[in-house]
Amino acid sequence: MARFPSLRPASWATAIVSSLTIFGTLIPSVRAQDDGSLETIQGTNGAGETSTLLVDRYPALYSGNFGDCMGGQSLINLTSFDGAYYADNMTVLFNLAGTTNLRNETLMLYISVYAYGEDRFDLVFNPCNANFGSLCPLNASVPITGGAVIPVSTSDVSAIPPIALGIPDFEGTLMLRFFSNSSRTEIACFSAVMRNGASFSHPAAVGSTLGVFTFIALIASFATAIYGVSIPHIRTHYAHSLSVLVVFEVFQSIFFSGALSLNWPSVLPAFWSNFAWSAGMISTPSIISSINSFTGVSGNASQVGGAGSTVLNNNGGLQQQIYGRSIFQRSLEKSEQLASHLYKRASNTTQSAKLYEWAGVPVSPGLPTPGDWSGFAGSLSHVDIPAADAFMVGFLWLLIIIAILIGATALFKWILEGFSAMDMMKKDRFVIFREHWIGFIGLIVLRTLFIAFFMMMTLALYQFSYGGKAGPIAIAVIVFLIFFVGGLGVCYYACFYRVRFGKYESSPDRIHFRRKKIMKFIPWYSTVRESSLDEEDKAKTAGSLSFFQIKFVDNEQAEESVHQNTNYTKRFGWLSARYRRTRWWFFSFWVIYQFVRACFVGGARNNPTAQVIGLFIWEIIAFIAIVSINPFEGRRNTALAVWMLGLSKVATAGLSIAFLPKLNLARIPTTVVGVIIIVIQGFLVIGVMILIVLGAISSYMSLTRNHEEFRPHGMGDIRLKYFGHLEEKEKDLPPPPPPEPEEPKEPYFTVQNVRRAPKIEDEDIDFVPAMADFNPAASQHSLTGPRGSRANSMAGSMRSHYSSYGNVPYGARVHRASWSSRDFQNWQEDNGRASPLNTPSRHVSGHNTVNNSISGMPLVRPQPSHASLRPSTPTREQQRQYQNQRVTSAN
């Protein structure tokens, strides 16, 4: 938001010169004429670089508006006071114009520049050695005119940091003091704010942009409030549009941050001036001049100073009793030394008091001295509104905006009627608004006053603490009573109407505090109602407080929700429509919160410590309470009003403690803290603008909810999800608990069948018992011998082996892993007696002896032809035959 030096008129002049150079070959006559009108000089900067400079250029630092730093008691009146520092040619310029009522007085001038609370530049000189003939001597019959250009060295300006030439809202003050040589007393003092061309203050540009966004939010909110035929359905869509109250609360909270009685850095009042319009602080010459006469603000806006029309004949000298001014302590030797470096500037013959585009003007009556940004008066000085006029200006603009809204609403109604008569609109479009437009006007006025509650309460309390004439105070009392009694009374009646004529009752309750930990290590306490606790949980709390609860006692579900009650919505929907079904009463909490906040901001201005610390504590309490309540039904309103705005208020109030006068923080760290506040509030404003755009899109969806076709088509699914979200949020029910995980069923699986493959050891002599009468269906086999336990464990495997013997592929042999020579002999002998279709077997005796006879049969079993191959699975008869052979061989 800063205004950069590239936007200066000098830069535009440079651009013009460049353009003329480019097109010089086409229009040589124009180029020659313009080049001749641009005056240039040669200048050398602090680095020793010489360049050609425009005479009518912007300085690196220059003075702005100026005022009387002696509180209007100066004996000289100034209409022009210009000072500038040109870094490109290392010169300091001064220009004066004014009058006096003194006669024949010689002077010495003392010039000083203060930057960020420190004296950065001093100069004492004799005006007779410069081009100030009208000051040598000072005479009432001779107008004060003249100027001087003073060369400076690098050491003279070494105290001015380079960042001062580019930082927005440079905090500097130029002071010019006049001392009488005869009495050595200060007879006049003038100060002007120093600027460098960069600033955060752009009320016209930034304020207009924010005003457009606010107007969009207003139109979107109003459209959702009048479109539809069902009151509950209209309320649902209206609740999810961005609240205009929250938008104004954001802007007003930013601006009224400057109402605290603190010595602000220059960057903050400049930034806050962009939001003055939201609080009714809009300055126009006609309104300010008319209010000044009512509030008692008087003065000459064309000059500053306290010199009267009566000529003071002091006969060459002034007494030291002139307004108790201090004696001039500067030595004359230093004065003559510095004055010798002056060189004369051409005498000014221009009649206009403002010689330069960058020159300042006298401050308006009622404004603080330039360079003083303390308190609310310093914040209001950026928009040229005296502190004494603040309440009346805000109240007047409130009346104007109410009149505009009433006229715009009536005009919109008749425009709709004209469209309907010309068949440019359906007859039933906006039928509720067209039939009850007068009632809508009343609700608009009430809603506007509700939005302005904090603003008017703050300004009224500020007027009480500021004082002034009886007229503004009397009006402030009336307005205060209207808003205080009316606001609390309407909120009480709205709650009473629901409780008394509805189906609610109030009963005692208690708030219990339970210990908990945040992030698993920060001790904390949570609150819970006693009515929601079990008996055993009540004894585990750390303490409790008496409270109450309002609960619904009727059994009719249709009447349970306040938002389904059409009569209540018509009467008090402007208060409760945006809040959740169970938080419809939040408007009462909001009014109390805003009233207490206004008491700190506007009423405690005489005690800055109590004002700032009290506001900080109150903002923390309110933030925790609002987060716990979570009142808004719409997500955008919750994000903005609960979280973004709440955190911004707490952070701003907390950082403002650094500006307390007792802390006496240096001005540079003060400026750093001010920039941090600007960053926080700047992000808040950006968030508001983004949410306004999103709210306008959602309002467009709400207005086209009865259209079958929606454009853009790509957002059709988003629109359906949005409508589903509205229906879900309208119920205001807690989310269902996550489903409990199902316990695993025992057992996880069942064994239906076990198939055991034959193993080599099944044929081992040690494991095969004597099976004279083998039964395949037997479940056990009795084995004897030292390894009977293992044989017993293998009994079940035996049955599986014999029953599935036929699954072994043809040609495969069941044998052990290692063979001895005796095993080969037995195998050959058995093969000699058996048929090729028979399975080889072992001779097993009870004494583990084998036959040692050796057969001449080959080790390799001859392969039969494919035609003689048997099926891979033997029949039951074959299996019985094989078993009998095995038993016979064993015997």
Side-chain angles (χ1 to χ4, degrees):
M1 296 181 183
R3 184 173 68 247
F4 296 98
S6 60
L7 300 179
R8 297 175 181 172
S11 299
W12 288 107
T14 305
I16 294 175
V17 173
S18 302
S19 301
L20 292 176
T21 303
I22 295 173
F23 296 103
T25 56
L26 300 176
I27 315 176
S29 59
V30 175
R31 180 191 61 183
Q33 181 180 358
D34 285 279
D35 288 345
S37 62
L38 295 175
E39 300 181 7
T40 60
I41 60 173
Q42 296 294 321
T44 303
N45 58 17
E49 301 174 352
T50 301
S51 60
T52 301
L53 307 172
L54 293 173
V55 174
D56 189 18
R57 68 190 186 280
Y58 265 60
L61 288 175
Y62 54 91
S63 61
N65 296 346
F66 56 94
D68 187 355
C69 52
M70 293 182 66
Q73 297 185 15
S74 296
L75 297 182
I76 297 176
N77 296 331
L78 290 186
T79 58
S80 177
F81 174 35
D82 306 324
Y85 163 60
Y86 291 90
D88 48 17
N89 64 352
M90 301 300 290
T91 57
V92 175
L93 178 146
F94 286 98
N95 177 73
L96 295 176
T99 59
T100 184
N101 60 349
L102 296 178
R103 179 178 295 177
N104 192 23
E105 185 67 36
T106 59
L107 304 172
M108 291 294 291
L109 273 63
Y110 175 60
I111 303 171
S112 61
V113 176
Y114 292 88
Y116 295 99
E118 298 181 7
D119 191 358
R120 305 287 184 173
F121 177 77
D122 294 305
L123 180 63
V124 180
F125 70 96
N126 188 342
C128 297
N129 296 335
N131 191 29
F132 283 103
S134 57
L135 294 178
C136 187
L138 185 64
N139 198 313
S141 61
V142 180
I144 301 174
T145 57
V149 178
I150 307 170
V152 295
S153 63
T154 305
S155 60
D156 294 332
V157 295
S158 60
I160 300 177
I163 193 176
L165 306 182
I167 187 173
D169 298 292
F170 170 71
E171 187 173 317
T173 304
L174 172 65
M175 300 190 68
L176 175 62
R177 297 178 180 179
F178 294 82
F179 291 90
S180 170
N181 287 338
S182 59
S183 62
R184 296 194 176 186
T185 58
E186 183 178 2
I187 63 174
C189 176
F190 301 95
S191 66
V193 63
M194 295 295 294
R195 299 180 294 185
N196 57 13
S199 177
F200 286 112
S201 178
H202 298 278
V206 178
S208 300
T209 303
L210 297 179
V212 171
F213 275 87
T214 304
F215 181 74
I216 294 174
L218 176 64
I219 295 300
S221 178
F222 177 72
T224 55
I226 65 174
Y227 180 80
V229 295
S230 171
I231 298 297
H233 202 196
I234 292 175
R235 188 221 62 84
T236 300
H237 288 269
Y238 172 77
H240 289 264
S241 62
L242 192 64
S243 175
V244 179
L245 179 145
V246 177
V247 175
F248 271 94
E249 175 63 19
V250 170
F251 297 154
Q252 289 178 1
S253 66
I254 294 176
F255 176 72
F256 280 112
S257 300
L260 303 178
S261 300
L262 302 173
N263 189 12
W264 303 108
S266 59
V267 293
L268 283 178
F271 176 74
W272 291 333
S273 65
N274 300 315
F275 307 91
W277 62 272
S278 63
M281 299 294 106
I282 303 174
S283 176
T284 60
S286 58
I287 291 179
I288 296 300
S289 60
S290 60
I291 293 178
N292 281 344
S293 60
F294 181 71
T295 57
V297 177
S298 60
N300 190 350
S302 62
Q303 66 179 20
V304 293
S309 58
T310 304
V311 177
L312 299 179
N313 188 358
N314 51 6
N315 296 322
L318 291 175
Q319 302 297 323
Q320 295 186 12
Q321 290 81 11
I322 297 178
Y323 303 108
R325 295 172 177 82
S326 60
I327 299 177
F328 179 52
Q329 300 295 333
R330 295 283 182 175
S331 64
L332 293 178
E333 295 180 0
K334 184 178 180 180
S335 302
E336 295 297 334
Q337 180 181 2
L338 293 174
S340 63
H341 295 288
L342 299 175
Y343 63 87
K344 295 183 179 181
R345 188 171 181 265
S347 178
N348 174 35
T349 59
T350 306
Q351 298 298 324
S352 175
K354 188 173 181 178
L355 300 179
Y356 311 98
E357 289 294 331
W358 48 264
V361 296
V363 295
S364 302
L367 296 182
T369 304
D372 182 11
W373 296 280
S374 300
F376 198 28
S379 300
L380 292 174
S381 63
H382 276 273
V383 290
D384 296 329
I385 296 178
D389 297 350
F391 168 76
M392 292 302 303
V393 172
F395 179 62
L396 182 61
W397 277 108
L398 176 62
L399 298 179
I400 293 174
I401 194 65
I402 290 176
I404 292 175
L405 291 176
I406 292 175
T409 305
L411 178 63
F412 179 68
K413 191 268 180 186
W414 293 113
I415 289 176
L416 293 179
E417 295 295 340
F419 286 164
S420 178
M422 293 184 294
D423 293 333
M424 298 177 61
M425 184 182 69
K426 294 182 179 180
K427 300 295 183 181
D428 59 347
R429 185 67 55 85
F430 300 110
V431 61
I432 294 181
F433 169 74
R434 289 160 56 191
E435 293 178 354
H436 305 88
W437 66 280
I438 296 179
F440 271 93
I441 289 178
L443 297 179
I444 290 173
V445 172
L446 291 175
R447 184 68 175 176
T448 304
L449 295 176
F450 187 68
I451 294 174
F453 178 83
F454 172 73
M455 178 191 80
M456 294 310 303
M457 296 299 291
T458 301
L459 294 177
L461 291 171
Y462 182 82
Q463 185 69 49
F464 297 156
S465 60
Y466 184 85
K469 297 183 67 175
I473 294 178
I475 296 178
V477 170
I478 296 173
V479 172
F480 176 83
L481 292 176
I482 291 175
F483 276 86
F484 179 72
V485 177
L488 294 181
V490 169
C491 292
Y492 172 78
Y493 179 68
C495 296
F496 176 79
Y497 184 89
R498 180 61 182 167
V499 175
R500 174 65 178 84
F501 300 102
K503 301 297 182 180
Y504 284 84
E505 70 174 8
S506 177
S507 61
D509 201 351
R510 298 189 69 84
I511 298 294
H512 286 260
F513 299 92
R514 293 194 299 186
R515 296 182 180 90
K516 61 180 295 187
K517 289 186 178 180
I518 299 177
M519 301 176 63
K520 297 183 179 180
F521 67 91
I522 301 177
W524 195 252
Y525 287 90
S526 63
T527 58
V528 62
R529 291 179 178 270
E530 185 177 83
S531 56
S532 61
L533 292 175
D534 298 333
E535 291 296 332
E536 57 183 12
D537 294 334
K538 295 179 182 179
K540 300 179 181 179
T541 59
S544 63
L545 293 175
S546 297
F547 203 65
F548 65 93
Q549 65 171 339
I550 299 177
K551 60 181 180 179
F552 190 77
V553 297
D554 190 67
N555 294 326
E556 298 180 7
Q557 297 297 325
E559 297 293 336
E560 183 174 358
S561 174
V562 64
H563 298 320
Q564 298 298 325
N565 191 330
T566 303
N567 293 329
Y568 188 86
T569 303
K570 288 181 179 179
R571 287 174 176 263
F572 305 105
W574 59 278
L575 287 174
S576 63
R578 293 194 183 273
Y579 305 127
R580 293 162 48 199
R581 176 182 60 87
T582 57
R583 300 294 186 268
W584 60 269
W585 44 263
F586 181 74
F587 54 83
S588 301
F589 176 89
W590 183 261
V591 169
I592 296 174
Y593 158 68
Q594 293 287 47
F595 174 72
V596 176
R597 184 163 166 258
C599 291
F600 283 112
V601 175
R605 62 181 294 270
N606 293 325
N607 192 337
T609 303
Q611 183 186 39
V612 177
I613 297 179
L615 179 63
F616 177 59
I617 296 174
W618 178 245
E619 292 290 5
I620 293 177
I621 295 174
F623 174 70
I624 296 175
I626 293 176
V627 169
S628 302
I629 295 173
N630 191 19
F632 291 94
E633 184 174 316
R635 287 183 177 178
R636 286 180 295 274
N637 291 323
T638 300
L640 180 57
V642 177
W643 294 104
M644 298 170 61
L645 180 58
L647 291 174
S648 175
K649 288 180 178 179
V650 172
T652 301
L655 292 174
S656 298
I657 298 177
F659 306 135
L660 284 172
K662 293 182 178 180
L663 299 180
N664 196 22
L665 188 66
R667 298 307 296 173
I668 292 180
T670 299
T671 303
V672 173
V673 176
V675 172
I676 295 175
I677 293 177
I678 290 176
V679 171
I680 294 173
Q681 295 180 344
F683 278 115
L684 175 63
V685 174
I686 294 175
V688 170
M689 298 170 68
I690 295 174
L691 292 178
I692 287 175
V693 175
L694 296 179
I697 296 175
S698 66
S699 296
Y700 169 68
M701 294 180 181
S702 297
L703 296 177
T704 58
R705 58 182 178 268
N706 296 326
H707 296 183
E708 295 182 358
E709 183 179 1
F710 177 77
R711 295 183 180 180
H713 299 290
M715 297 182 64
D717 295 338
I718 299 177
R719 177 176 175 243
L720 295 178
K721 292 180 180 178
Y722 175 68
F723 291 157
H725 170 72
L726 297 188
E727 295 179 359
E728 188 68 24
K729 295 293 291 185
E730 192 269 339
K731 300 175 183 177
D732 191 24
L733 297 176
E740 296 182 359
E742 296 183 0
E743 295 183 0
K745 297 179 179 180
E746 295 293 344
Y748 287 96
F749 59 90
T750 57
V751 179
Q752 302 293 338
N753 187 19
V754 176
R755 180 178 181 181
R756 183 179 184 276
K759 296 183 180 180
I760 297 175
E761 54 266 25
D762 293 341
E763 296 295 321
D764 197 287
I765 301 174
D766 299 332
F767 301 112
V768 180
M771 303 173 60
D773 297 324
F774 178 73
N775 184 9
S779 59
Q780 293 184 4
H781 300 279
S782 298
L783 299 179
T784 60
R787 307 183 68 175
S789 60
R790 180 175 180 184
N792 190 36
S793 65
M794 299 298 295
S797 299
M798 294 295 295
R799 182 177 71 247
S800 174
H801 162 68
Y802 289 115
S803 63
S804 58
Y805 179 79
N807 289 337
V808 180
Y810 182 80
R813 299 284 300 176
V814 180
H815 56 82
R816 68 178 71 186
S818 60
W819 290 70
S820 63
S821 58
R822 182 176 300 176
D823 294 333
F824 278 110
Q825 292 176 2
N826 294 336
W827 178 78
Q828 291 176 355
E829 182 180 352
D830 293 341
N831 252 358
R833 296 194 303 264
S835 171
L837 297 178
N838 293 339
T839 303
S841 60
R842 292 284 189 89
H843 294 278
V844 182
S845 64
H847 303 283
N848 283 339
T849 60
V850 296
N851 194 344
N852 292 330
S853 62
I854 301 176
S855 173
M857 293 293 293
L859 294 178
V860 180
R861 184 177 181 178
Q863 298 292 335
S865 63
H866 291 283
S868 62
L869 289 178
R870 66 179 180 181
S872 60
T873 303
T875 62
R876 189 179 300 275
E877 185 67 25
Q878 291 175 340
Q879 292 180 5
R880 188 178 294 108
Q881 181 181 356
Y882 298 155
Q883 293 169 2
N884 293 335
Q885 291 177 0
R886 289 174 181 272
V887 173
T888 304
S889 299
N891 294 332

